Amino acid sequence: MSVTSDPLQPSVSAGSLRSALGAAVPVVAPEDDGYAAARAIQAGGVEHRPAAIVRPTDAPEVAAAVRFARDAGVEVSVRSGGHSVFGLGAADGSVALDLRGLDGVEIDVEGRTAWVGGGITAGAYSHAAGEHGLATPFGDTGGVGVGGITLGGGIGLLSRSLGMTIDSLLGAEVVTADGEVVRTDADHEPDLFWALRGGGGNFGVVTRFRFALHEVSQVVGGVLLMPATPESVAGVVAAADAAPPGLTVIVMVMPAPPMPMIPDQWHGRVVVMANACWSGPRDEADAALAPLRDVAARAGGALLDGLRPAPYASLLEGGPPGGPVVATGRSFFADGVDETAAAHLLEQLESCDAMMRAAQLRVLGGAVADVPADATAYPHRAARMVGNVAAVAPDAATALGYTPWVDALAGRLRQGDAAYVNFSLDGGEAAARAAYPGATWDRLRDVKRRYDPQNLFRGNVNVPPA
């Protein structure tokens, strides 16, 4: 976990930055009234202080800011529209690029493609595409920035049917470390295009993404809530793994929040929340969802059955907890969760006193596994499940105290040493090597050397240049 950093780099003059960019580009400096709000990032509790925050509205303005930072020897950090649990979008002492002004959407309905700005959220884009009965697969939360989730891979509610977000990425407009604006796709700068699909923000600032769109007018999905037992945890994971590719299930095992749709007597008790999405033929939905409902019945009955026909974009709700909170967590890959591991998981969730603690289990396979492991910079195609164990606390010191608990539980559930970069709460080399093992690491370092030899873009799960 990282919530502060030591700015060991030259200071930036806001005046000289404004002169370089021109009066039309907003620059927010520490002495300005709006600085505190501009540097705030969800979730709260992150106290980073960038030297200046730039709010560009197009690629040339981004390029000018990158050239200024490069010439000044100052790190560039990038906020792509959503949240950053450990504050990578506003690193201490950096020139922070807030891309939320790059939020345009251009949809080619007949061609089934879209160009979208690097600062738009997954929810905003999905609602725009949904008006045409179309969708690009993202995660399970509308508040994430398209840039962050795409560059790390993108695992969500359509993954088993349509693949990861990177599998629908057709091209990108990128500002590189030398301040040039380039277009990349399978035929132009192909090594950069390969690296952008899973390699994170190591290679430049993506100002626009070109996505494939798929016909997804409505899905059948929502939350199926049931009592947590070793049998129900293992049973939901097994049912999701055995389901047809049209069904994707994200399982949360956690104390039930005090939400009005959850029976009062279950508030604070550990439950299984199966967030499911069926995107296959509507008349096959009941059969596909029946095994999940059977698990709930065997556990004593569903506490909430919210599975219903709905637009895909409506399932992308929620986000990180609000307020001044700090998270610590660990991601892992596994082939599944048996009843013995599930029993240990429940014991640990009951024994922990963190204000919020959870294990999230995203069942993979399907279209995710159909892509060769070396086709993109996401190499974990054969994994059956990606998980994440997290604890949330009101401040950094308290959160740090839960790190041993998080590490131990993730260690018990994991199989192998790999990790998913979008769930990493640590930007160090160990996290990067876990996300990018073997030949993927070597190739990423080579691409980094060619496009960012000085490691200007290091506010991420960093891959150093070869």
PDB file of all heavy atoms in Angstrom, residues 224-240 289-303 339:
ATOM      1  N   LEU A 224     -27.435 -11.636  -6.549  1.00  0.00           N
ATOM      2  CA  LEU A 224     -28.082 -12.736  -5.835  1.00  0.00           C
ATOM      3  C   LEU A 224     -27.364 -12.865  -4.500  1.00  0.00           C
ATOM      4  O   LEU A 224     -26.170 -13.185  -4.464  1.00  0.00           O
ATOM      5  CB  LEU A 224     -27.985 -14.032  -6.638  1.00  0.00           C
ATOM      6  CG  LEU A 224     -28.624 -15.280  -6.010  1.00  0.00           C
ATOM      7  CD1 LEU A 224     -30.139 -15.106  -5.909  1.00  0.00           C
ATOM      8  CD2 LEU A 224     -28.277 -16.528  -6.819  1.00  0.00           C
ATOM      9  N   LEU A 225     -28.076 -12.578  -3.416  1.00  0.00           N
ATOM     10  CA  LEU A 225     -27.480 -12.544  -2.068  1.00  0.00           C
ATOM     11  C   LEU A 225     -27.926 -13.765  -1.287  1.00  0.00           C
ATOM     12  O   LEU A 225     -29.115 -14.121  -1.292  1.00  0.00           O
ATOM     13  CB  LEU A 225     -27.927 -11.271  -1.351  1.00  0.00           C
ATOM     14  CG  LEU A 225     -27.295 -10.967   0.014  1.00  0.00           C
ATOM     15  CD1 LEU A 225     -25.856 -10.511  -0.165  1.00  0.00           C
ATOM     16  CD2 LEU A 225     -28.098  -9.893   0.739  1.00  0.00           C
ATOM     17  N   MET A 226     -26.980 -14.412  -0.622  1.00  0.00           N
ATOM     18  CA  MET A 226     -27.297 -15.628   0.124  1.00  0.00           C
ATOM     19  C   MET A 226     -26.418 -15.717   1.369  1.00  0.00           C
ATOM     20  O   MET A 226     -25.376 -15.051   1.465  1.00  0.00           O
ATOM     21  CB  MET A 226     -27.068 -16.859  -0.759  1.00  0.00           C
ATOM     22  CG  MET A 226     -25.623 -17.088  -1.153  1.00  0.00           C
ATOM     23  SD  MET A 226     -25.409 -18.374  -2.414  1.00  0.00           S
ATOM     24  CE  MET A 226     -25.919 -17.473  -3.878  1.00  0.00           C
ATOM     25  N   PRO A 227     -26.827 -16.536   2.358  1.00  0.00           N
ATOM     26  CA  PRO A 227     -25.971 -16.750   3.526  1.00  0.00           C
ATOM     27  C   PRO A 227     -24.624 -17.335   3.123  1.00  0.00           C
ATOM     28  O   PRO A 227     -24.530 -18.113   2.157  1.00  0.00           O
ATOM     29  CB  PRO A 227     -26.774 -17.738   4.385  1.00  0.00           C
ATOM     30  CG  PRO A 227     -28.200 -17.564   3.948  1.00  0.00           C
ATOM     31  CD  PRO A 227     -28.122 -17.240   2.485  1.00  0.00           C
ATOM     32  N   ALA A 228     -23.596 -16.955   3.836  1.00  0.00           N
ATOM     33  CA  ALA A 228     -22.251 -17.448   3.533  1.00  0.00           C
ATOM     34  C   ALA A 228     -21.950 -18.691   4.359  1.00  0.00           C
ATOM     35  O   ALA A 228     -21.937 -18.649   5.596  1.00  0.00           O
ATOM     36  CB  ALA A 228     -21.216 -16.369   3.821  1.00  0.00           C
ATOM     37  N   THR A 229     -21.729 -19.779   3.673  1.00  0.00           N
ATOM     38  CA  THR A 229     -21.266 -21.022   4.278  1.00  0.00           C
ATOM     39  C   THR A 229     -20.126 -21.534   3.404  1.00  0.00           C
ATOM     40  O   THR A 229     -19.986 -21.103   2.254  1.00  0.00           O
ATOM     41  CB  THR A 229     -22.381 -22.083   4.326  1.00  0.00           C
ATOM     42  OG1 THR A 229     -22.723 -22.452   2.976  1.00  0.00           O
ATOM     43  CG2 THR A 229     -23.621 -21.540   5.038  1.00  0.00           C
ATOM     44  N   PRO A 230     -19.300 -22.446   3.894  1.00  0.00           N
ATOM     45  CA  PRO A 230     -18.279 -23.007   3.016  1.00  0.00           C
ATOM     46  C   PRO A 230     -18.870 -23.594   1.737  1.00  0.00           C
ATOM     47  O   PRO A 230     -18.297 -23.465   0.651  1.00  0.00           O
ATOM     48  CB  PRO A 230     -17.623 -24.086   3.885  1.00  0.00           C
ATOM     49  CG  PRO A 230     -17.808 -23.588   5.284  1.00  0.00           C
ATOM     50  CD  PRO A 230     -19.156 -22.928   5.285  1.00  0.00           C
ATOM     51  N   GLU A 231     -20.066 -24.207   1.874  1.00  0.00           N
ATOM     52  CA  GLU A 231     -20.690 -24.813   0.707  1.00  0.00           C
ATOM     53  C   GLU A 231     -21.188 -23.759  -0.282  1.00  0.00           C
ATOM     54  O   GLU A 231     -21.077 -23.940  -1.503  1.00  0.00           O
ATOM     55  CB  GLU A 231     -21.861 -25.699   1.153  1.00  0.00           C
ATOM     56  CG  GLU A 231     -21.464 -26.916   1.973  1.00  0.00           C
ATOM     57  CD  GLU A 231     -21.163 -26.583   3.435  1.00  0.00           C
ATOM     58  OE1 GLU A 231     -21.491 -25.453   3.873  1.00  0.00           O
ATOM     59  OE2 GLU A 231     -20.599 -27.444   4.137  1.00  0.00           O
ATOM     60  N   SER A 232     -21.743 -22.650   0.211  1.00  0.00           N
ATOM     61  CA  SER A 232     -22.271 -21.645  -0.709  1.00  0.00           C
ATOM     62  C   SER A 232     -21.154 -20.883  -1.404  1.00  0.00           C
ATOM     63  O   SER A 232     -21.266 -20.562  -2.592  1.00  0.00           O
ATOM     64  CB  SER A 232     -23.209 -20.679   0.022  1.00  0.00           C
ATOM     65  OG  SER A 232     -22.532 -19.910   0.997  1.00  0.00           O
ATOM     66  N   VAL A 233     -20.052 -20.588  -0.686  1.00  0.00           N
ATOM     67  CA  VAL A 233     -18.931 -19.898  -1.330  1.00  0.00           C
ATOM     68  C   VAL A 233     -18.339 -20.779  -2.426  1.00  0.00           C
ATOM     69  O   VAL A 233     -18.196 -20.356  -3.582  1.00  0.00           O
ATOM     70  CB  VAL A 233     -17.853 -19.525  -0.302  1.00  0.00           C
ATOM     71  CG1 VAL A 233     -16.620 -18.951  -1.007  1.00  0.00           C
ATOM     72  CG2 VAL A 233     -18.396 -18.518   0.712  1.00  0.00           C
ATOM     73  N   ALA A 234     -17.992 -22.009  -2.084  1.00  0.00           N
ATOM     74  CA  ALA A 234     -17.400 -22.910  -3.071  1.00  0.00           C
ATOM     75  C   ALA A 234     -18.398 -23.251  -4.174  1.00  0.00           C
ATOM     76  O   ALA A 234     -18.028 -23.375  -5.351  1.00  0.00           O
ATOM     77  CB  ALA A 234     -16.911 -24.192  -2.388  1.00  0.00           C
ATOM     78  N   GLY A 235     -19.680 -23.384  -3.807  1.00  0.00           N
ATOM     79  CA  GLY A 235     -20.686 -23.757  -4.782  1.00  0.00           C
ATOM     80  C   GLY A 235     -20.934 -22.676  -5.820  1.00  0.00           C
ATOM     81  O   GLY A 235     -21.101 -22.971  -7.009  1.00  0.00           O
ATOM     82  N   VAL A 236     -20.956 -21.401  -5.416  1.00  0.00           N
ATOM     83  CA  VAL A 236     -21.163 -20.310  -6.375  1.00  0.00           C
ATOM     84  C   VAL A 236     -19.981 -20.225  -7.338  1.00  0.00           C
ATOM     85  O   VAL A 236     -20.165 -20.049  -8.556  1.00  0.00           O
ATOM     86  CB  VAL A 236     -21.367 -18.975  -5.636  1.00  0.00           C
ATOM     87  CG1 VAL A 236     -21.216 -17.800  -6.590  1.00  0.00           C
ATOM     88  CG2 VAL A 236     -22.745 -18.931  -4.990  1.00  0.00           C
ATOM     89  N   VAL A 237     -18.768 -20.353  -6.824  1.00  0.00           N
ATOM     90  CA  VAL A 237     -17.592 -20.295  -7.696  1.00  0.00           C
ATOM     91  C   VAL A 237     -17.611 -21.452  -8.687  1.00  0.00           C
ATOM     92  O   VAL A 237     -17.350 -21.264  -9.887  1.00  0.00           O
ATOM     93  CB  VAL A 237     -16.302 -20.298  -6.856  1.00  0.00           C
ATOM     94  CG1 VAL A 237     -15.071 -20.449  -7.752  1.00  0.00           C
ATOM     95  CG2 VAL A 237     -16.193 -19.021  -6.030  1.00  0.00           C
ATOM     96  N   ALA A 238     -17.939 -22.641  -8.214  1.00  0.00           N
ATOM     97  CA  ALA A 238     -17.979 -23.805  -9.106  1.00  0.00           C
ATOM     98  C   ALA A 238     -19.076 -23.668 -10.155  1.00  0.00           C
ATOM     99  O   ALA A 238     -18.883 -24.005 -11.324  1.00  0.00           O
ATOM    100  CB  ALA A 238     -18.180 -25.076  -8.282  1.00  0.00           C
ATOM    101  N   ALA A 239     -20.244 -23.160  -9.752  1.00  0.00           N
ATOM    102  CA  ALA A 239     -21.341 -22.987 -10.705  1.00  0.00           C
ATOM    103  C   ALA A 239     -20.984 -21.949 -11.766  1.00  0.00           C
ATOM    104  O   ALA A 239     -21.297 -22.121 -12.952  1.00  0.00           O
ATOM    105  CB  ALA A 239     -22.614 -22.567  -9.962  1.00  0.00           C
ATOM    106  N   ALA A 240     -20.318 -20.872 -11.344  1.00  0.00           N
ATOM    107  CA  ALA A 240     -19.911 -19.847 -12.306  1.00  0.00           C
ATOM    108  C   ALA A 240     -18.865 -20.375 -13.272  1.00  0.00           C
ATOM    109  O   ALA A 240     -18.878 -20.046 -14.464  1.00  0.00           O
ATOM    110  CB  ALA A 240     -19.372 -18.632 -11.558  1.00  0.00           C
ATOM    111  N   LEU A 289     -28.927 -19.323 -15.123  1.00  0.00           N
ATOM    112  CA  LEU A 289     -28.853 -18.805 -13.754  1.00  0.00           C
ATOM    113  C   LEU A 289     -29.330 -19.820 -12.708  1.00  0.00           C
ATOM    114  O   LEU A 289     -29.102 -19.622 -11.513  1.00  0.00           O
ATOM    115  CB  LEU A 289     -29.693 -17.527 -13.636  1.00  0.00           C
ATOM    116  CG  LEU A 289     -29.187 -16.338 -14.465  1.00  0.00           C
ATOM    117  CD1 LEU A 289     -30.236 -15.246 -14.525  1.00  0.00           C
ATOM    118  CD2 LEU A 289     -27.887 -15.799 -13.873  1.00  0.00           C
ATOM    119  N   ALA A 290     -29.980 -20.888 -13.152  1.00  0.00           N
ATOM    120  CA  ALA A 290     -30.547 -21.864 -12.212  1.00  0.00           C
ATOM    121  C   ALA A 290     -29.512 -22.452 -11.258  1.00  0.00           C
ATOM    122  O   ALA A 290     -29.796 -22.597 -10.054  1.00  0.00           O
ATOM    123  CB  ALA A 290     -31.258 -22.972 -12.984  1.00  0.00           C
ATOM    124  N   PRO A 291     -28.292 -22.817 -11.698  1.00  0.00           N
ATOM    125  CA  PRO A 291     -27.326 -23.363 -10.736  1.00  0.00           C
ATOM    126  C   PRO A 291     -26.959 -22.397  -9.610  1.00  0.00           C
ATOM    127  O   PRO A 291     -26.730 -22.834  -8.477  1.00  0.00           O
ATOM    128  CB  PRO A 291     -26.107 -23.691 -11.613  1.00  0.00           C
ATOM    129  CG  PRO A 291     -26.688 -23.931 -12.979  1.00  0.00           C
ATOM    130  CD  PRO A 291     -27.808 -22.949 -13.095  1.00  0.00           C
ATOM    131  N   LEU A 292     -26.913 -21.100  -9.897  1.00  0.00           N
ATOM    132  CA  LEU A 292     -26.645 -20.126  -8.830  1.00  0.00           C
ATOM    133  C   LEU A 292     -27.793 -20.095  -7.835  1.00  0.00           C
ATOM    134  O   LEU A 292     -27.579 -20.068  -6.610  1.00  0.00           O
ATOM    135  CB  LEU A 292     -26.439 -18.729  -9.424  1.00  0.00           C
ATOM    136  CG  LEU A 292     -25.260 -18.527 -10.364  1.00  0.00           C
ATOM    137  CD1 LEU A 292     -25.243 -17.098 -10.875  1.00  0.00           C
ATOM    138  CD2 LEU A 292     -23.941 -18.840  -9.650  1.00  0.00           C
ATOM    139  N   ARG A 293     -29.002 -20.104  -8.356  1.00  0.00           N
ATOM    140  CA  ARG A 293     -30.172 -20.099  -7.461  1.00  0.00           C
ATOM    141  C   ARG A 293     -30.257 -21.395  -6.663  1.00  0.00           C
ATOM    142  O   ARG A 293     -30.702 -21.392  -5.504  1.00  0.00           O
ATOM    143  CB  ARG A 293     -31.442 -19.871  -8.281  1.00  0.00           C
ATOM    144  CG  ARG A 293     -31.553 -18.432  -8.817  1.00  0.00           C
ATOM    145  CD  ARG A 293     -32.815 -18.220  -9.614  1.00  0.00           C
ATOM    146  NE  ARG A 293     -33.093 -16.793  -9.811  1.00  0.00           N
ATOM    147  CZ  ARG A 293     -33.352 -16.239 -10.976  1.00  0.00           C
ATOM    148  NH1 ARG A 293     -33.362 -16.989 -12.086  1.00  0.00           N
ATOM    149  NH2 ARG A 293     -33.614 -14.952 -11.061  1.00  0.00           N
ATOM    150  N   ASP A 294     -29.808 -22.501  -7.235  1.00  0.00           N
ATOM    151  CA  ASP A 294     -29.795 -23.761  -6.492  1.00  0.00           C
ATOM    152  C   ASP A 294     -28.830 -23.682  -5.311  1.00  0.00           C
ATOM    153  O   ASP A 294     -29.124 -24.208  -4.222  1.00  0.00           O
ATOM    154  CB  ASP A 294     -29.391 -24.910  -7.419  1.00  0.00           C
ATOM    155  CG  ASP A 294     -30.471 -25.259  -8.425  1.00  0.00           C
ATOM    156  OD1 ASP A 294     -31.621 -24.828  -8.245  1.00  0.00           O
ATOM    157  OD2 ASP A 294     -30.150 -25.958  -9.410  1.00  0.00           O
ATOM    158  N   VAL A 295     -27.681 -23.060  -5.505  1.00  0.00           N
ATOM    159  CA  VAL A 295     -26.728 -22.894  -4.404  1.00  0.00           C
ATOM    160  C   VAL A 295     -27.364 -22.073  -3.287  1.00  0.00           C
ATOM    161  O   VAL A 295     -27.254 -22.407  -2.105  1.00  0.00           O
ATOM    162  CB  VAL A 295     -25.427 -22.226  -4.894  1.00  0.00           C
ATOM    163  CG1 VAL A 295     -24.504 -21.926  -3.707  1.00  0.00           C
ATOM    164  CG2 VAL A 295     -24.712 -23.119  -5.895  1.00  0.00           C
ATOM    165  N   ALA A 296     -28.052 -20.990  -3.657  1.00  0.00           N
ATOM    166  CA  ALA A 296     -28.722 -20.163  -2.652  1.00  0.00           C
ATOM    167  C   ALA A 296     -29.786 -20.951  -1.905  1.00  0.00           C
ATOM    168  O   ALA A 296     -29.924 -20.829  -0.673  1.00  0.00           O
ATOM    169  CB  ALA A 296     -29.335 -18.937  -3.323  1.00  0.00           C
ATOM    170  N   ALA A 297     -30.536 -21.780  -2.620  1.00  0.00           N
ATOM    171  CA  ALA A 297     -31.578 -22.578  -1.976  1.00  0.00           C
ATOM    172  C   ALA A 297     -30.980 -23.545  -0.960  1.00  0.00           C
ATOM    173  O   ALA A 297     -31.514 -23.710   0.146  1.00  0.00           O
ATOM    174  CB  ALA A 297     -32.381 -23.330  -3.036  1.00  0.00           C
ATOM    175  N   ARG A 298     -29.858 -24.164  -1.320  1.00  0.00           N
ATOM    176  CA  ARG A 298     -29.224 -25.103  -0.396  1.00  0.00           C
ATOM    177  C   ARG A 298     -28.629 -24.392   0.814  1.00  0.00           C
ATOM    178  O   ARG A 298     -28.448 -25.011   1.872  1.00  0.00           O
ATOM    179  CB  ARG A 298     -28.147 -25.900  -1.124  1.00  0.00           C
ATOM    180  CG  ARG A 298     -28.699 -26.862  -2.178  1.00  0.00           C
ATOM    181  CD  ARG A 298     -27.643 -27.875  -2.611  1.00  0.00           C
ATOM    182  NE  ARG A 298     -26.500 -27.231  -3.247  1.00  0.00           N
ATOM    183  CZ  ARG A 298     -26.411 -26.978  -4.551  1.00  0.00           C
ATOM    184  NH1 ARG A 298     -27.423 -27.287  -5.364  1.00  0.00           N
ATOM    185  NH2 ARG A 298     -25.321 -26.413  -5.063  1.00  0.00           N
ATOM    186  N   ALA A 299     -28.318 -23.100   0.676  1.00  0.00           N
ATOM    187  CA  ALA A 299     -27.756 -22.333   1.793  1.00  0.00           C
ATOM    188  C   ALA A 299     -28.835 -21.790   2.724  1.00  0.00           C
ATOM    189  O   ALA A 299     -28.523 -21.118   3.704  1.00  0.00           O
ATOM    190  CB  ALA A 299     -26.918 -21.173   1.258  1.00  0.00           C
ATOM    191  N   GLY A 300     -30.099 -22.063   2.407  1.00  0.00           N
ATOM    192  CA  GLY A 300     -31.180 -21.587   3.255  1.00  0.00           C
ATOM    193  C   GLY A 300     -32.111 -20.618   2.563  1.00  0.00           C
ATOM    194  O   GLY A 300     -33.058 -20.120   3.179  1.00  0.00           O
ATOM    195  N   GLY A 301     -31.845 -20.352   1.300  1.00  0.00           N
ATOM    196  CA  GLY A 301     -32.711 -19.453   0.538  1.00  0.00           C
ATOM    197  C   GLY A 301     -32.046 -18.119   0.264  1.00  0.00           C
ATOM    198  O   GLY A 301     -31.247 -17.628   1.069  1.00  0.00           O
ATOM    199  N   ALA A 302     -32.379 -17.539  -0.863  1.00  0.00           N
ATOM    200  CA  ALA A 302     -31.805 -16.246  -1.235  1.00  0.00           C
ATOM    201  C   ALA A 302     -32.305 -15.157  -0.292  1.00  0.00           C
ATOM    202  O   ALA A 302     -33.501 -15.076   0.012  1.00  0.00           O
ATOM    203  CB  ALA A 302     -32.167 -15.902  -2.672  1.00  0.00           C
ATOM    204  N   LEU A 303     -31.385 -14.322   0.176  1.00  0.00           N
ATOM    205  CA  LEU A 303     -31.751 -13.165   0.969  1.00  0.00           C
ATOM    206  C   LEU A 303     -32.209 -12.020   0.067  1.00  0.00           C
ATOM    207  O   LEU A 303     -32.960 -11.144   0.504  1.00  0.00           O
ATOM    208  CB  LEU A 303     -30.560 -12.707   1.811  1.00  0.00           C
ATOM    209  CG  LEU A 303     -29.915 -13.779   2.698  1.00  0.00           C
ATOM    210  CD1 LEU A 303     -28.671 -13.239   3.372  1.00  0.00           C
ATOM    211  CD2 LEU A 303     -30.913 -14.267   3.727  1.00  0.00           C
ATOM    212  N   GLU A 339     -14.198 -26.142  -0.466  1.00  0.00           N
ATOM    213  CA  GLU A 339     -14.889 -25.873   0.800  1.00  0.00           C
ATOM    214  C   GLU A 339     -13.919 -25.648   1.956  1.00  0.00           C
ATOM    215  O   GLU A 339     -14.213 -24.874   2.871  1.00  0.00           O
ATOM    216  CB  GLU A 339     -15.860 -27.014   1.113  1.00  0.00           C
ATOM    217  CG  GLU A 339     -17.041 -27.056   0.151  1.00  0.00           C
ATOM    218  CD  GLU A 339     -18.074 -28.098   0.533  1.00  0.00           C
ATOM    219  OE1 GLU A 339     -17.994 -28.624   1.679  1.00  0.00           O
ATOM    220  OE2 GLU A 339     -18.963 -28.390  -0.293  1.00  0.00           O
TER     221      GLU A 339
END
